Amino acid sequence: MKNLFFPIVLGAILTLLALVPMFVDDYGLGLAIGVMSYVALCSSWALFSGPTRYVSLATVAFCGTGAYTVAALADHLPFYAILAAAALVGFVASLVVGLATLRLSGIYFVIFTFGLAEMVRQLLTWYEVNISGTLGRYIFVDVEAYQIFYMLLAIAAVALAVRWWIDRGRLGLAVRAIGDDEVVARHAGVDVTRVKLILFSISSVFITLVGAVQAPRWTYVEPSIVFNPTISFLTLIMALLGGASRLWGPVCGAVPLFFLFEWLSGRFPDRYSIILGLLFIGIVFLFPEGVLARFEQLWKHLAHRKDRKNLAREVSNERLA
């Protein structure tokens, strides 16, 4: 029964979420697409960064690549063929980036991934201005909003299922060993670079698909929009709040923070970036392992306290007897 707990819970949640487009108006569906996009991004990001503890800020590089793939191929291929092409582009790019960076660690990896996203944005801007002669592109694809919601829901579900499957196998054991101590894992016989490359590629393909699926909603794309670094930071903050090392942690962080960010950006547009920075600092200090880890600690503390009370009561009864 324990082995079936995750499939049953995931199936029940998917069934409920599949009904959302039938009971909301256009504004509600727009919000549902927004929150589902970050659930998919956070779940995909945590596939690699959660167990390995490598903080990647390259989320927007792959997400923007997916969106621009749709913009470039929208007039030539059917939409679902474009999604396949975007997945292939994301896979090849992740192999190139992974082979070049996964030997880095700590702050060097963080800086490189942040610089990677900026480099992709600058290269694309140069190409558009000097080669194609235009900076932005319009996207006209015959895809309805509810179809985008279902595709994002499918990506999020597959990302969670893949994480669950990996955690239960030898690959999950190797990844957890890398996250605990990479040097010890290497001496224990784990092919560290290969394991990290596999996870990084899977994570990057999902992130690229999220960008590609969302592209028709934007209608018009240009490098400053689809490569906005705020996307990487929001994904990071949401995953950290819930707990990147937990299966459901990114989901628990993405849902409340998305609505909070929507509310803040609407009421404090000039101070939104400052609030975002303060929130990030607060999450790192108050919930370094995520909210789910804090709840687990509280639950264990209460259970231990109850056990001590029961033990004290039994000892007292024995003395009275």
Side-chain angles (χ1 to χ4, degrees):
M1 187 65 186
K2 185 179 179 181
N3 293 336
L4 297 176
F5 180 75
F6 172 77
I8 292 173
V9 171
L10 183 61
I13 293 174
L14 289 176
T15 303
L16 290 175
L17 290 176
L19 301 175
V20 169
M22 305 175 190
F23 296 99
V24 296
D25 56 11
D26 290 343
Y27 176 73
L29 185 55
L31 285 178
I33 290 174
V35 71
M36 191 52 62
S37 68
Y38 274 104
V39 168
L41 280 178
C42 293
S43 301
S44 303
W45 179 87
L47 268 173
F48 169 74
S49 295
T52 63
R53 301 177 191 274
Y54 274 57
V55 177
S56 170
L57 291 177
T59 304
V60 74
F62 292 101
C63 187
T65 299
Y68 246 89
T69 302
V70 176
L73 300 177
D75 296 333
H76 308 287
L77 293 174
F79 183 63
Y80 292 103
I82 298 174
L83 292 184
L88 181 61
V89 170
F91 177 69
V92 173
S94 67
L95 288 181
V96 174
V97 174
L99 289 172
T101 63
L102 291 181
R103 294 185 185 279
L104 302 175
S105 61
I107 190 64
Y108 300 104
F109 182 78
V110 179
I111 293 173
F112 187 95
T113 53
F114 181 74
L116 171 69
E118 185 62 17
M119 182 187 71
V120 173
R121 185 172 74 89
Q122 295 295 341
L123 284 175
L124 197 55
T125 302
W126 178 88
Y127 176 84
E128 292 287 59
V129 172
N130 296 283
I131 306 298
S132 66
T134 179
L135 185 58
R137 293 172 182 260
Y138 287 96
I139 300 175
F140 298 107
V141 180
D142 189 18
V143 179
E144 300 292 336
Y146 75 89
Q147 292 175 299
I148 294 175
F149 174 80
Y150 285 137
M151 285 188 278
L152 291 172
L153 178 61
I155 294 172
V158 173
L160 287 170
V162 169
R163 174 84 180 271
W164 176 76
W165 177 75
I166 289 175
D167 285 346
R168 295 165 56 82
R170 295 181 61 184
L171 183 58
L173 185 63
V175 172
R176 286 193 292 275
I178 294 172
D180 291 338
D181 193 318
E182 188 170 323
V183 176
V184 173
R186 195 183 298 276
H187 283 292
V190 177
D191 190 340
V192 174
T193 303
R194 185 171 69 88
V195 170
K196 288 191 296 186
L197 189 61
I198 292 173
L199 276 188
F200 187 70
S201 298
I202 297 173
S203 170
S204 301
V205 168
F206 285 140
I207 292 172
T208 307
L209 282 175
V210 172
V213 168
Q214 285 194 98
R217 289 281 292 176
W218 294 330
T219 307
Y220 174 81
V221 297
E222 63 175 53
S224 62
I225 297 175
V226 297
F227 291 100
N228 187 341
T230 304
I231 296 174
S232 292
F233 285 109
L234 289 182
T235 303
L236 172 64
I237 293 171
M238 290 172 177
L240 291 182
L241 176 65
S245 60
R246 264 71 177 174
L247 178 62
W248 292 102
V251 179
C252 294
V255 175
L257 278 188
F258 172 80
F259 289 108
L260 177 62
F261 291 148
E262 281 290 303
W263 185 80
L264 289 173
S265 61
R267 283 161 179 76
F268 308 101
D270 298 331
R271 286 161 282 180
Y272 176 68
S273 299
I274 299 174
I275 297 173
L276 192 65
L278 292 174
L279 190 61
F280 177 71
I281 294 172
I283 289 173
V284 170
F285 274 100
L286 297 176
F287 306 103
E289 296 295 330
V291 172
L292 289 187
R294 186 59 62 89
F295 278 128
E296 286 179 6
Q297 291 173 358
L298 180 62
W299 178 260
K300 289 179 181 177
H301 175 73
L302 293 175
H304 183 63
R305 189 175 175 182
K306 184 179 179 181
D307 290 341
R308 283 192 302 176
K309 283 185 177 179
N310 291 336
L311 180 62
R313 190 178 297 116
E314 290 175 3
V315 171
S316 178
N317 291 337
E318 288 177 359
R319 287 177 177 173
L320 290 174

